[in-house]
Amino acid sequence: MSQIIPDVALIDNSEERAPLVLVLDCSGSMNDDNKIGLLNDGLKVLSQELKDDPITARCGRILVIAFGGDNNVEIMGEWTDAMDFNPPNLYAGGLTPIGAAMRLALDEIENQKTEMRNAGVPYKRPILMLLSDGEPTDDWQSIAISCKNAENAHKVNIMSIGIGASANKDVLGQFSNKGALSLDGLKFKELFVWLSRSIQAVSRAQTGATVQLNPVDSWAQIST
């Protein structure tokens, strides 16, 4: 029987973690208007912003899941502390299996919690951010319910964000009790700067405390 090799980072650094899972659309439509290129640029900004803050560099913990392309749904590397996070270079193609990607994300979050508990590492409530410019092309209704149930049980905090006019905000909103937000234009960099500041705030907060995040108007399309 194979054994799970403990994550050396969790052994070397026992500080409380702030886990983040990015579930990113890499379907064919992300080639339009170079959305995939701008998304890649935004991930580089996120990586640098997290590393520039010494606390977040040690406490932030990141996993990227891509959906679309040749592999349908793919984990892009392993869970990584922010100080060691090197963003993947994403390519667009294929369909939009959001249901499968979100199911994998919930499973990975629970697996990571188990690994951290086994290593004696405390953690904050994980953040799961879904970004898509379309709508699911697979079965998604049951996993959307699971996502909301996980939020209700305080297992995860889910953000669902639509990219562009083709994003089905009503469907994307079914994956979170908060509904979905819309990216203002293609402000990926602004989004990821905001996200890095949010992880910084979460990393510094006392366990169980309510964290007041910055307003989203720097990157979100706000209805008036």
Side-chain angles (χ1 to χ4, degrees):
M1 184 175 65
S2 63
Q3 292 182 336
I4 297 175
I5 300 175
D7 191 321
V8 174
L10 295 178
I11 296 173
D12 292 343
N13 173 15
S14 61
E15 292 187 40
E16 186 175 43
R17 296 302 205 277
L20 167 68
V21 179
L22 298 172
V23 180
L24 305 177
D25 193 338
C26 295
S27 62
S29 58
M30 287 292 289
N31 278 317
D32 299 342
D33 301 319
N34 192 34
K35 291 193 288 283
I36 196 70
L38 295 173
L39 175 58
N40 281 319
D41 290 343
L43 289 174
K44 293 174 184 175
V45 169
L46 174 65
S47 174
Q48 192 58 54
E49 288 277 331
L50 293 174
K51 291 174 182 176
D52 284 346
D53 181 75
I55 294 178
T56 312
R58 291 179 62 82
C59 296
R61 193 155 172 82
I62 305 167
L63 183 71
V64 176
I65 295 175
F67 58 91
D70 295 333
N71 293 311
N72 201 31
V73 176
E74 183 178 4
I75 299 174
M76 309 300 291
E78 302 295 332
W79 280 96
T80 307
D81 285 342
M83 67 175 74
D84 299 317
F85 177 59
N86 293 311
N89 194 30
L90 303 174
Y91 297 91
L95 301 176
T96 316
I98 296 177
M102 292 296 281
R103 186 178 303 279
L104 179 60
L106 290 185
D107 288 344
E108 284 297 318
I109 285 172
E110 293 308 310
N111 290 340
Q112 181 63 191
K113 287 178 182 179
T114 298
E115 188 170 351
M116 288 188 288
R117 284 195 297 268
N118 290 342
V121 174
Y123 53 86
K124 303 288 178 56
R125 187 186 310 176
I127 295 173
L128 193 170
M129 178 176 282
L130 166 65
L131 283 170
S132 177
D133 72 339
E135 60 184 287
T137 53
D138 62 350
D139 293 333
W140 59 272
Q141 288 88 348
S142 63
I143 186 59
I145 294 171
S146 296
C147 286
K148 288 186 174 181
N149 289 340
E151 277 198 311
N152 288 333
H154 306 293
K155 293 181 177 180
V156 64
N157 184 7
I158 299 175
M159 294 187 65
S160 187
I161 300 168
I163 306 165
S166 297
N168 190 329
K169 189 175 174 182
D170 291 337
V171 171
L172 294 176
Q174 296 299 309
F175 291 91
S176 171
N177 289 304
K178 300 179 289 297
L181 291 169
S182 295
L183 192 66
D184 184 8
L186 298 176
K187 291 185 176 180
F188 289 106
K189 289 184 178 179
E190 290 85 350
L191 166 62
F192 285 121
V193 167
W194 175 89
L195 181 58
S196 70
R197 305 289 164 79
S198 299
I199 298 297
Q200 289 177 25
V202 170
S203 298
R204 285 169 164 77
Q206 296 291 326
T207 301
T210 300
V211 180
Q212 184 64 46
L213 302 181
N214 291 330
V216 301
D217 54 1
S218 62
W219 58 268
Q221 191 175 74
I222 307 298
S223 300
T224 58

